[in-house]
Amino acid sequence: MSTTTDVNVPSPTPPGTPRVPLGQRLQGLGGNARQYGIFGALVVIILLFQVLTDGKLLLANNVAALFQQNAYVMILAIGMVMVIVAGHIDLSVGSVVAFVGGVVAVTMRDPIGLPWIAAVLVGLAVGAMVGAWQGFWVAYVGIPAFIVTLAGMLVFRGLALVIVGETLAGLPPAFIRISKGSLPPWLNYVGNMDGVTLVIGALAVAAIVLTQVRARRSLRRHDLHVEALGLFVTKLAAIAVGIGILTVILSFSAGGTPIVLVIVGVLVVAYSFLMGRTVFGRHIYAIGGNRSAAALSGVSTRRVDFWIFVNMGLLAGVAAIVTTARAGAAIAAAGQNFELDAIAACFIGGAAVTGGIGRVSGAIVGALIMGVLNMGLSILSVDPAWQMAIKGFVLLLAVAFDLLNKRRAGTQ
Amino acid sequence: MTEATRTPLLSMRGISKRFGGVEALVGVDLEVHRGEVVALVGDNAAGKSTLAKMVAGVLTPDAGLIEIDGVPVTIPTPAAAHALGVATVFQELALCDNLDVTSNLFLGRELRDGRGARDDERMEQVARQILRDLTSRIPTVRVPLSHLSAGQRQAVAIARTLIGSPRLVVLDEPTASLSVAQTAEVLVHIEGLRDLGLGVVLISHNMTDVRSVADRVEVLRHGRNNGSFDARSTGYEHIIAAITGASRAATPRPVPLRS
Ligand SMILES: Nc1ncnc2c1ncn2[C@@H]1O[C@H](COP(=O)(O)OP(=O)(O)OP(=O)(O)O)[C@@H](O)[C@H]1O
Ligand SMILES: [Mg+2]
């Protein structure tokens, strides 16, 4: 323990006093203990299915497919966790995915025939506009988000049907690559391993280690509390090993790094920063914790609410692009139950139903837990009906476990 | 007093506010000078918090004029109040249980570094400094508010008034859940604010506290001014009489439920 530098910790326990029980020590880690728990659950589930499927789960192409199949959940869960932390909910994202997917397909096809990049930008803009529409009703009119987005669920599903009819196929191959493609092999292969993937993995590890070490050094320089060195090193080593394994597996896959993985990675980094390190993020947590206190403290709660929904719309637009590219066509029935997947990912990932608690990383891990379950059960050829039931149980268990833990720790 | 001849720091004149059928305030006047502690007292529902919330930018008056340093102002939002140099401890404390002490101290007024990014490190340093000065019994500034006792939470709420060098501090029952020792500390703190030349409005039901720290006592009754007293020279019973509106305080009698 590096108690010598913990200036703000009361007084270090004098020698000979009873050791602090583990539960309390974990609690001392704050929200981190919970975060570690969720990561642990993911690792356990991966190992479980790795054994159950005789090692098929972590075959290179399965891992690549895992990301390609679940990118939409992760993208939506990032926006949803912000919505949930602020104490709202968004039931419309599935319908918005179908609607924006239709818009993107229509703009790319004749008679409009815009280039695919332009169509993507239109899709993002329309998504943000949908979000602004819903944000207006929630933030400035004061209608509960549950109602606004329930209406949105119907409205945008209806509009999707109007725009798309049944199916709009024949989309440009360059657009479809967004979901089905991988980064081109710019670099040589190392044996059978894709060089680009290895370089990206190495850069990711380096970037994480560097930022963490710098953050820690800066905390120490300002004489602020840092976590114990042993824990810090263990954490970094675990992250490095995790990314390392993922990198090596992916580098053996048919295409190397899926493009959607890059998209998700960039979003995770950007939104973790937004939620954890910016004033806007702090205000989202404040609003979810105590809306009236935030307002009394000078937080403009309406503006924050509004932008949370604009952002959710924007991310629904990204998910729409990914989903449409993956299907190779716009389908009016696309995005069915996507809102439920995203919401479940957030709650499995430790978000609180009452708002105020939740993290982007947690939501991503929640999405991965569900994705691994899906893939593992599919490899085991479990009936989809049973898959659904099992996922339901996992959601219930995850939240119940979290609650029990919290009670035992004595918080709230 | 020489301050009395100068422009008051805060001047509220003819303030009225109604909530539906309730006349919470009717033509209320209030003046606070620099280096002066004004106690605002009155029965429950007299309108004290309503008046405080107007200075804090939470409520706007239906009628009346507010001047700060002689300049007529409207205070439409809490952020505007903060910009005018008004810091408030609300009766309901207004803290977020899910955030840690530092985040609560700076909520709505986060510090930014040169590039405009949130400056967590400087905020934490300032937070530790402030809490050390207040000798509050708060173990670390990283602890979430949900882990603190009522008294510790109140200490955090009071500490918030030290952020951003205010001119006027409004304290709505700041010692309601504090121990004797901590109450004494808050009173010393209020005297410190006065010595720094700040104006202080102290809302309290505790006459001992009021008389030990206030310069002037303003009484509100049924939303109206009901007397202004020099805190040191006026007898206890005069203030109580103004609060209750009678020289002989009515004794509540038990109401028989069955005859
Ligand atoms: N937001 C509101 N809506 C409706 N009525 C209100 C509101 N706020 C205050 N009131 C009414 O205004 C009157 C004055 O309330 P206020 O909170 O100012 O009293 P107070 O003097 O602070 O009392 P206490 O000592 O109990 O805190 C009360 O009759 C109250 O019911
Ligand atoms: Mg009150």
Side-chain angles (χ1 to χ4, degrees):
Chain A
M1 301 290 278
S2 62
T3 22
T4 42
T5 55
D6 299 347
V7 185
N8 64 337
V9 164
S11 48
T13 344
T17 46
R19 282 182 62 86
V20 190
L22 181 69
Q24 248 174 3
R25 263 188 296 151
L26 285 178
Q27 209 186 312
L29 301 172
N32 289 342
R34 188 171 185 152
Q35 210 66 14
Y36 297 148
I38 301 161
F39 274 102
L42 175 62
V43 171
V44 167
I45 288 183
I46 289 175
L47 293 180
L48 179 70
F49 277 101
Q50 178 71 355
V51 171
L52 287 180
T53 59
D54 291 330
K56 290 203 195 88
L57 181 75
L58 291 183
L59 289 181
N61 287 346
N62 281 344
V63 173
L66 179 74
F67 286 108
Q68 285 168 328
Q69 283 167 20
N70 292 287
Y72 79 89
V73 195
M74 297 191 239
I75 294 165
L76 291 174
I78 291 172
M80 191 66 77
V81 80
M82 295 165 70
V83 169
I84 288 175
V85 166
H88 300 295
I89 196 80
D90 191 335
L91 301 176
S92 70
V93 293
S95 296
V96 175
V97 163
F99 171 63
V100 174
V103 170
V104 171
V106 167
T107 33
M108 272 186 294
R109 283 159 45 113
D110 294 334
I112 301 180
L114 285 185
W116 69 271
I117 297 236
V120 163
L121 293 178
V122 168
L124 296 178
V126 170
M129 271 151 52
V130 167
W133 160 259
Q134 305 202 102
F136 165 76
W137 291 103
V138 173
Y140 294 104
V141 185
I143 301 179
F146 186 89
I147 308 292
V148 170
T149 59
L150 185 62
M153 185 180 187
L154 300 170
V155 168
F156 296 107
R157 182 65 64 189
L159 291 180
L161 280 161
V162 171
I163 296 185
V164 177
E166 281 294 305
T167 301
L168 297 175
L171 303 180
F175 175 75
I176 289 173
R177 274 198 38 173
I178 294 175
S179 261
K180 297 212 166 153
S182 305
L183 290 182
W186 285 306
L187 301 173
N188 289 333
Y189 281 80
V190 183
N192 263 337
M193 297 192 286
D194 172 38
V196 177
T197 305
L198 293 179
V199 168
I200 290 178
L203 285 179
V205 170
I208 289 173
V209 170
L210 209 70
T211 47
Q212 294 279 326
V213 167
R214 269 177 51 182
R216 185 183 166 88
R217 209 182 286 152
S218 163
L219 281 177
R220 295 194 82 132
R221 199 172 45 238
H222 292 89
D223 218 11
L224 302 178
H225 178 70
V226 291
E227 60 192 340
L229 184 66
L231 187 66
F232 178 73
V233 171
T234 313
K235 191 178 83 178
L236 280 189
I239 292 175
V241 169
I243 295 181
I245 293 175
L246 179 66
T247 305
V248 170
I249 293 178
L250 275 180
S251 70
F252 280 110
S253 77
T257 306
I259 290 174
V260 285
L261 180 57
V262 178
I263 296 175
V264 169
V266 169
L267 290 177
V268 168
V269 171
Y271 280 93
S272 297
F273 181 83
L274 181 74
M275 283 296 270
R277 295 256 172 274
T278 67
V279 172
F280 183 69
R282 172 71 50 80
H283 288 179
I284 295 177
Y285 284 101
I287 287 179
N290 186 340
R291 179 170 293 268
S292 68
L296 289 177
S297 306
V299 174
S300 40
T301 53
R302 292 182 176 185
R303 205 172 52 90
V304 174
D305 282 339
F306 178 75
W307 286 107
I308 287 170
F309 276 92
V310 172
N311 178 67
M312 183 74 254
L314 179 71
L315 287 176
V318 177
I321 289 157
V322 167
T323 304
T324 311
R326 192 174 145 70
I331 305 161
Q336 215 101 49
N337 288 345
F338 278 17
E339 61 281 342
L340 301 184
D341 290 333
I343 293 168
C346 292
F347 288 134
I348 292 177
V353 186
T354 46
I357 292 170
R359 282 202 197 178
V360 170
S361 54
I364 294 294
V365 173
L368 282 174
I369 288 178
M370 292 217 301
V372 170
L373 267 176
N374 268 340
M375 174 151 287
L377 293 172
S378 299
I379 295 174
L380 294 173
S381 21
V382 172
D383 188 322
W386 279 110
Q387 290 192 23
M388 215 190 266
I390 290 172
K391 276 197 292 179
F393 273 121
V394 168
L395 170 63
L396 196 62
L397 282 179
V399 177
F401 183 73
D402 210 30
L403 261 181
L404 287 179
N405 252 347
K406 242 194 321 185
R407 280 206 200 126
R408 217 180 11 207
T411 53
Q412 275 144 19
Chain B
M1 267 201 205
T2 51
E3 285 103 324
T5 54
R6 296 213 313 260
T7 329
L9 176 60
L10 170 73
S11 158
M12 304 177 85
R13 262 170 289 153
I15 303 288
S16 298
K17 179 78 182 177
R18 63 173 38 250
F19 296 106
V22 181
E23 288 195 312
L25 294 173
V26 186
V28 170
D29 298 334
L30 180 70
E31 273 192 4
V32 182
H33 292 263
R34 285 175 208 79
E36 185 185 33
V37 179
V38 175
L40 190 59
V41 300
D43 219 335
N44 288 123
K48 306 179 298 291
S49 295
T50 306
L51 200 62
K53 283 184 176 167
M54 286 176 183
V55 190
V58 178
L59 295 172
T60 44
D62 297 338
L65 187 69
I66 304 179
E67 286 181 356
I68 289 189
D69 258 338
V71 184
V73 290
T74 52
I75 315 179
T77 61
H82 186 247
L84 285 166
V86 178
T88 311
V89 175
F90 295 96
Q91 192 170 7
E92 56 270 45
L93 295 188
L95 300 167
C96 292
D97 276 355
N98 60 329
L99 298 182
D100 67 11
V101 174
T102 307
S103 312
N104 269 287
L105 285 180
F106 286 92
L107 186 57
R109 56 209 61 159
E110 288 79 4
L111 300 181
R112 293 165 195 265
D113 63 16
R115 291 167 302 163
R118 198 176 82 193
D119 195 342
D120 285 345
E121 282 152 19
R122 203 149 59 84
M123 286 195 276
E124 187 164 337
Q125 281 180 311
V126 175
R128 280 170 52 189
Q129 186 64 49
I130 286 177
L131 291 175
R132 201 180 300 138
D133 291 351
L134 277 181
T135 64
S136 63
R137 278 160 204 82
I138 292 170
T140 110
V141 294
R142 296 239 183 118
V143 68
L145 267 273
S146 55
H147 291 220
L148 297 186
S149 75
Q152 290 174 316
R153 294 160 55 83
Q154 204 142 30
V156 173
I158 291 170
R160 291 186 65 177
T161 60
L162 295 174
I163 306 289
S165 47
R167 293 188 274 178
L168 175 70
V169 176
V170 180
L171 305 156
D172 195 346
E173 303 196 20
T175 57
S177 46
L178 295 187
S179 71
V180 177
Q182 274 186 306
T183 300
E185 202 172 277
V186 169
L187 297 181
V188 169
H189 172 60
I190 291 174
E191 280 166 354
L193 295 178
R194 170 177 46 205
D195 295 344
L196 287 172
L198 277 68
V200 179
V201 176
L202 170 66
I203 298 175
S204 178
H205 288 296
N206 186 326
M207 284 306 135
T208 323
D209 292 359
V210 164
R211 294 201 45 214
S212 73
V213 75
D215 301 304
R216 187 151 52 81
V217 181
E218 293 285 341
V219 179
L220 281 188
R221 179 170 159 73
H222 296 328
R224 293 173 172 79
N225 287 102
N226 201 33
S228 172
F229 304 94
D230 183 84
R232 277 157 238 285
S233 62
T234 314
Y236 198 68
E237 59 295 340
H238 284 94
I239 299 176
I240 301 286
I243 290 173
T244 57
S247 40
R248 50 179 177 87
T251 328
R253 290 157 190 274
V255 181
L257 292 177
R258 273 181 296 183
S259 49

